[in-house]
Amino acid sequence: MPGDSEGNAFVSFSTTATGTEIRVRDGVGTHEYTLQTDVPVSLERASPDRFISPVDTAVSFTTSELHLPPDSSVVVRDGHGEHLCQLGPEPREFVRGTYYAEVSPSMKTYVLVPDSAFTGYYRDYDELGTGPSLEFESETRVFLGVRSPHDRPQATITVPDDPSAIATAVSALGSALKEYSCERSWPTLRGHPPAIERGGELHVPDVLEKPDTGVTIALPPTYADVYRVAPLAYYLGADVVTAAGIDPELRLDVGHTEPLRRPGRTLEASVDRLLARCLLLDSLVRIDGYYSFTRYEYDEVAPHLPFYPPELYGESLDAQLMEYLEVPFDVLEPYVPQWPTTAVLRPDPGDVEVVPSLLDPLSRIHVAPADESAGASATGPEHDSNLDSRLFDPTVTAYAGRTPPVGETRLVPAAFENARHQKRNTPSECHLQCFGVDAAAVDAFERIRDTVVASPPDETPTLTTEGLPTRARLRRALAGDADFLHFGGRVTDAGFACTDGVLSPSEVDEVAVSLVSIAGQRDVETLVPLVERGALAGIAHEPASPAEQVGLLAGYLGQTFSLAAAAALGVRTPYRLVGDATTAIAAWQLPIVIDVESVAVDTHRVWYWTEPTDETSLGSILLPTEEFTQQTHSLAGAPAEQSPRVSTDELVEVFEAGFVVRLNGEVYPTSGDLTAETVRRSARRSLDGAPDQP
């Protein structure tokens, strides 16, 4: 009957007064959408076990037409989950059978059509809006299952200032995983961990079901060690226990114990390696699961493994780990995704509340020495990679409670909460605001921006420029609708030097701008209050060539790169970052970098790399469709080498396609200006000091 409501804490369903609209709401976040039927429907609770992929809750109803949310994509699978097609502009008829329609609006949605024939098509600008529809041969009982993106904490754990209590809280963070099989390597099956707050006594809400995966991490009761193992504990759903005088170790119910601190390798390095090992190998084992796509990493790695990955699919987690631990890490290392963020926390209870936000994107966690005077070199992450140093790597290290080293990030916890309210725009919807640049700078800004932002030309961001503002004008701009704001004036410890005085960040009540840029990387702390008041991130860079740098930075941001990647590509003077540097302001196409290493003047190795984003985070796979690629799925963030090697003339065609290219370590924007001779000169310079001549 109209008004019926079903669901659980994660997802709820209800019908409107007419009974022909089904509203689906996310109980954890703010997502919502509506489906339309041709007749009034009555919702009945259904078992989530009917679906081949995990769903939080499900309902059934009878209808002859189902109109899905506008602008959704729909993949149709048979009753065994095998991919059949993606609905396109032309109607597609499906003979009687059982099908799953996988829909991608704001929440993962599955429509189970049991024993029926139907037609899938895209309606075009009717009263329901452009979008996909399913039309059944007769009135049919269909099942609707939905999985929340779970991008916010479901509950809050209270902890006292005690390492053992924090270890108990960390043991409950894995309750956010939708599955404890290798499928958890898919980011959509890893929900946001519960929040943690400091309090007088330990309290873990009953709604959080502590995982039982057969994996335990044992370690001494120190804040530093509990923080260090938190990412691995979350991903494995491990129980974290503490005892004085023991060395950190991984314990499996099958009876195996694996030391996590070895001679010559820190606990941090061991945890980083093990987490990377599990994510990569899980992604190979899951090829026998929900999605059996061909994979670049599978073809490269599987022949060198001591086991056949699909045979491990149904095994217990501890049994899988026993096999994973037998693989030499150097076999896996070239195919591990580049981790976007490593957080460096302080070894005290003050940083415990930021841990769940760091684990949501699966960030690594390291801990600084208790004496901060040890310096940046002592607190940075251990880089454990044999990948060629010329491969693009925009990873950043985020430091809690201190000014970061050059090129790194100041961790500001408020950035994570701000990001939950951010709307990702297309480049044409992005507004870039620049203050305090002269006419020559504006010309360079526009020229470089229009060069960097690839076709179509109507998909470039809007740029507005002004001279140095008054205090009131800058305050209004920071609270305005710009996605990126650059202040080209002088910045001091007191604030922004405007035409009528200095605007202190403490005088700015609200910041709606996503990213803020200033000239003067030593003034990075000025940006911290802006993030605390609403911005997502900021960058402070030396003003040696402001027009070119700001233009490149804005161009790469408009091409959907994160702030960290845009800075790594476009800012050539020292800079520091603040907030969530993995933030991207635009969503339109994949942020792609083509890495090139010349092995001869006319022969080149080529890697295809896509930056992990909040939409394609660690564990996602992507399918390149460009002609020069192998057109095989690969992990987001993992450089995929293309085969065969390409000639100089073939490489110039890649440049003309409008990609960002790193040629022998030097960045070339998508300008199309590179000629074959430019490539050959670069090759000669990089090959054993060969002379730079035609």
Side-chain angles (χ1 to χ4, degrees), residues 9-142:
F10 287 104
V11 177
S12 65
F13 304 91
S14 62
T15 54
T16 60
T18 64
T20 58
E21 291 185 344
I22 302 172
R23 288 181 178 168
V24 184
R25 289 188 175 93
D26 176 13
V28 176
T30 59
H31 305 283
E32 179 179 335
Y33 65 84
T34 300
L35 302 95
Q36 305 268 354
T37 59
D38 61 326
V39 295
V41 299
S42 179
L43 304 180
E44 295 184 11
R45 186 180 295 273
S47 171
D49 294 338
R50 283 183 170 270
F51 294 84
I52 55 175
S53 296
V55 298
D56 291 316
T57 190
V59 294
S60 68
F61 52 89
T62 299
T63 186
S64 55
E65 293 181 16
L66 183 60
H67 304 291
L68 303 169
D71 302 320
S72 297
S73 62
V74 178
V75 171
V76 179
R77 302 180 184 278
D78 66 18
H80 302 289
E82 293 297 321
H83 180 278
L84 297 178
C85 69
Q86 179 166 335
L87 292 186
E90 298 299 322
R92 179 74 177 260
E93 295 185 356
F94 298 88
V95 300
R96 177 175 289 275
T98 295
Y99 300 91
Y100 293 91
E102 182 180 330
V103 192
S104 297
S106 55
M107 291 178 271
K108 204 70 172 178
T109 301
Y110 302 89
V111 179
L112 167 58
V113 183
D115 192 28
S116 180
F118 69 96
T119 300
Y121 66 96
Y122 268 74
R123 57 189 185 273
D124 189 20
Y125 298 106
D126 61 13
E127 68 278 5
L128 301 177
T130 302
S133 293
L134 308 179
E135 185 174 322
F136 306 102
E137 61 180 353
S138 60
E139 284 202 351
T140 299
R141 188 154 201 85
V142 299

Side-chain angles (χ1 to χ4, degrees), residues 333-336 338 384-394 595-599 605-607 609 639 641 645 662-666 686-687:
E333 191 176 8
Y335 309 98
V336 169
Q338 294 170 339
D384 190 6
S385 175
N386 61 13
L387 290 177
D388 191 294
S389 61
R390 283 174 288 187
L391 291 182
F392 180 56
D393 184 359
D595 248 312
V596 180
E597 177 192 355
S598 299
V599 294
R605 299 173 69 186
V606 174
W607 288 265
W609 180 87
E641 185 172 5
R645 297 177 181 185
R662 284 183 88 248
L663 173 60
N664 297 315
E666 184 176 357
S686 68
L687 294 170

